[in-house]
Amino acid sequence: MSSMGRTLCAWLGIAWIAAGTAVHAQDKPRQDLPPVTVTGKASPSVEKSFRKMVQGMDYFEKMRPVLAPGATLRFKLLPRKPGTDMDHILLEVIGTSFDHEVPIAADHTFVLQRDAKAMQENAVVTPNRRRLSMTWRTEIRTPEWPPGTRRLGDLRLECLVGLEADLVSNSNPFGRLAELFTDKQGYCNKKEARYLFFAERPLFSVTLVAGERREVMPIDQLYAAASDDPGLKSDLPYCDCEVLVDRTYFLPLGDRSWPDDTRVEFEYMDERP
């Protein structure tokens, strides 16, 4: 086995043992949080703001001519906790005077229809799943791209729209992700933006291809950068991809030397001999 393969297997082992992914380790030593007495009822679902999601849709229409002229937008549901049933989700838009169901496709994606009443009543989009059991992303795709590939411009727009729609459900109490939410466009335009993308299946490698230029992404751009996080296990509860670490990857979103038509190629673990 090559040194790259040995390194990959080592970090995959870490990832599987942890059963999830993580944000970066804390700069200061961790301290146990004091006990908290909770009164009242905890939020039972992982709902999102209808207004925010429509705001993301508006931003998609604004930026699509620039980044992804031929692309379409869908929203996607993803598991966050082990054992989450993703195949029997009831997704609804609920306002103060109405509720209606949103159809979900077999790939766990859906389209949100604009609704003036839902905007007026500040409705929520809510699945019948408990808080933090699942998470959300955008899925922006240009049609007719080959299987096992994505278009970089589409993924750049996924980051922008996902943050604009407030879909990322990290819950880090130390505020290490504050920049992500306060400077959304700036964050997605960084060369080393730490916006987590999810592949369809466990990954072996991710490669960028633009013309004759071809570059395999380094190991620290895969598996939620588990190699950079000595506090992986304690960070897991604060990451919205806890059970999908083997599918996660980062991209150099702000590196404009890679054009929007760059092809992102995936090699999956189940394709290896």
Side-chain angles (χ1 to χ4, degrees):
M1 180 181 293
S2 68
S3 60
M4 176 183 177
R6 288 193 296 271
T7 303
L8 174 64
C9 291
W11 291 122
L12 272 178
I14 294 173
W16 281 112
I17 292 171
T21 185
V23 290
H24 286 116
Q26 308 302 328
D27 294 329
K28 297 179 180 181
R30 290 181 177 79
Q31 297 180 356
D32 292 336
L33 296 177
V36 176
T37 301
V38 178
T39 58
K41 187 176 181 180
S43 174
S45 64
V46 57
E47 65 187 29
K48 295 296 179 182
S49 163
F50 183 89
R51 285 181 181 172
K52 277 286 192 180
M53 294 184 73
V54 171
Q55 185 174 317
M57 293 160 57
D58 291 340
Y59 196 77
F60 169 74
E61 295 298 338
K62 175 183 176 182
M63 296 302 296
R64 174 166 59 171
V66 179
L67 294 174
T72 59
L73 166 66
R74 297 180 69 87
F75 295 100
K76 186 163 189 174
L77 304 175
L78 295 157
R80 176 167 176 163
K81 295 293 182 182
T84 301
D85 179 6
M86 300 298 296
D87 293 325
H88 303 91
I89 295 176
L90 174 64
L91 184 66
E92 295 179 290
V93 176
I94 301 177
T96 56
S97 66
F98 76 95
D99 62 81
H100 63 76
E101 185 175 349
V102 179
I104 303 175
D107 63 356
H108 308 136
T109 65
F110 64 93
V111 173
L112 195 62
Q113 301 297 328
R114 297 176 186 274
D115 187 322
K117 192 172 186 180
M119 293 288 285
Q120 181 181 5
E121 296 186 7
N122 196 22
V124 295
V125 185
T126 180
N128 58 339
R129 293 294 179 268
R130 294 195 63 81
R131 188 175 64 89
L132 299 183
S133 65
M134 46 157 284
T135 191
W136 313 61
R137 284 297 190 275
T138 54
E139 183 161 284
I140 296 172
R141 289 182 180 266
T142 297
E144 300 180 357
W145 274 63
T149 70
R150 297 292 307 274
R151 181 178 176 277
L152 182 58
D154 296 358
L155 295 168
R156 282 174 168 143
L157 192 49
E158 279 193 10
C159 178
L160 290 165
V161 174
L163 298 187
E164 192 68 29
D166 197 22
L167 296 184
V168 179
S169 54
N170 286 311
S171 58
N172 192 327
F174 299 97
R176 291 183 59 83
L177 299 179
E179 181 187 8
L180 186 153
F181 299 106
T182 57
D183 185 15
K184 299 170 185 177
Q185 294 185 37
Y187 189 89
C188 292
N189 287 325
K190 284 189 170 185
K191 285 188 177 182
E192 297 184 359
R194 284 300 193 251
Y195 183 87
L196 279 169
F197 294 99
F198 299 90
E200 298 299 322
R201 308 198 300 278
L203 286 166
F204 180 81
S205 68
V206 175
T207 303
L208 301 182
V209 181
E212 297 299 317
R213 184 183 179 190
R214 185 180 187 90
E215 183 176 316
V216 178
M217 300 301 294
I219 190 70
D220 62 2
Q221 299 298 295
L222 306 180
Y223 319 122
S227 60
D228 289 337
D229 190 2
L232 182 65
K233 289 185 179 180
S234 58
D235 282 339
L236 282 174
Y238 307 124
C239 184
D240 72 345
C241 49
E242 187 172 345
V243 297
L244 297 176
V245 65
D246 55 349
R247 303 185 186 193
T248 59
Y249 60 99
F250 299 122
L251 291 171
L253 299 179
D255 185 350
R256 301 309 302 187
S257 70
W258 293 102
D260 290 329
D261 280 335
T262 295
R263 187 169 68 251
V264 184
E265 297 182 344
F266 303 107
E267 185 177 8
Y268 297 109
M269 282 292 178
D270 58 14
E271 296 173 340
R272 300 295 298 172

